[in-house]
Amino acid sequence: MSQVKLHGAFYSPFSGRVQIALRLKGVEYEYVEEDLANKSDLLIELNPVHKKIPVLVHNGKPISESFVIVEYIDETWKENPILPQDPYERAMARFWAQFVDEKCNAAIWGIIWSRGEEREKAIEEACQHLKTLENELKDKKFFGGETIGLVDIAANFLGFWVGIVQEAIDVEFLTKEKFPILCNWTEEFCNCDVIKETLPPKDKLFGMFQSRFNAPSWKY
């Protein structure tokens, strides 16, 4: 029997991506919580290039970077495919997953980092990207159609973390008034049993974000 371990952090949406993929596939795994303020020697040994989580260890072999890990899981365990079988659709799923990371998520972190007029500009940029993403979702239940796929996994930060972040910094941008389709997706996403199993405690996450975001010297 193969041995699977996941080194992660409870508050990390990147760790969450890997947990979603493992649970979608029904893969049993051992979870190892890492303290990123005091990185373990083992984590640095497993990921000497980036020295960060998540790291999946399968039969003693480490794999790093959340998208790389998710695709590895999809190729290793064939049940419940995460990526489409059609080459064009696979390419499009990778494209939109990258768009989520490089445009949507990056713009939202820009909101968190900024203040005043700079924050207003960051919100405007984020909303433009979120509208593009919403237009891609259209009338589908999930980005993957009727089932959760790569883009849904990539967007887990939008599905759960963003709501808590908005509350922690007292700013609203992803709302039902502005983005009804995306907000319906977040509800469908977070109400899936597989997703619920991977989500960190909301109160714990909110407390951590609020203390960090309100610290005078806070930096991401």
Side-chain angles (χ1 to χ4, degrees), residues 130-150:
L130 291 173
K131 179 54 69 176
T132 299
L133 188 65
E134 184 170 72
N135 290 339
E136 168 60 19
L137 183 59
K138 296 176 183 174
D139 57 353
K140 294 181 289 187
K141 182 177 181 180
F142 298 111
F143 290 98
E146 288 300 309
T147 58
I148 291 171
L150 179 67

Side-chain angles (χ1 to χ4, degrees), residues 20 22 39 43 45 54-55 83 93 96-97 109 122-123 130 133 138 141 144 150 163 166 175 182 193 197 205 214:
I20 292 169
L22 289 169
K39 296 177 182 178
L43 175 62
E45 178 185 339
V55 177
L83 279 120
W96 285 109
W109 280 111
I123 290 173
L130 291 173
L133 188 65
K138 296 176 183 174
K141 182 177 181 180
L150 179 67
Q166 289 184 127
T175 64
L182 269 181
D193 290 339
E197 294 170 353
L205 199 61
N214 292 332

Side-chain angles (χ1 to χ4, degrees), residues 10-30:
F10 83 92
Y11 54 81
S12 169
F14 303 104
S15 295
R17 289 173 177 175
V18 180
Q19 288 184 289
I20 292 169
L22 289 169
R23 290 185 181 274
L24 283 173
K25 296 288 187 174
V27 178
E28 293 186 7
Y29 64 97
E30 177 186 345

Side-chain angles (χ1 to χ4, degrees), residues 123 127 131 134 172-180:
I123 290 173
C127 287
K131 179 54 69 176
E134 184 170 72
E172 288 190 336
F173 49 90
L174 181 54
T175 64
K176 280 208 168 190
E177 290 73 26
K178 291 181 180 179
F179 303 104

Side-chain angles (χ1 to χ4, degrees), residues 44-60:
I44 294 170
E45 178 185 339
L46 292 171
N47 188 1
V49 176
H50 297 298
K51 302 179 178 64
K52 64 181 183 179
I53 53 91
V55 177
L56 185 78
V57 183
H58 182 210
N59 290 334

Side-chain angles (χ1 to χ4, degrees), residues 79-115:
E79 294 293 325
N80 304 320
I82 293 170
L83 279 120
Q85 298 304 303
D86 178 78
Y88 176 78
E89 291 180 1
R90 287 172 71 89
M92 289 299 96
R94 290 187 177 111
F95 171 86
W96 285 109
Q98 191 172 19
F99 177 84
V100 168
D101 247 7
E102 294 184 355
K103 297 296 185 180
C104 299
N105 291 351
I108 290 168
W109 280 111
I111 295 171
I112 295 166
W113 294 337
S114 57
R115 300 290 186 272

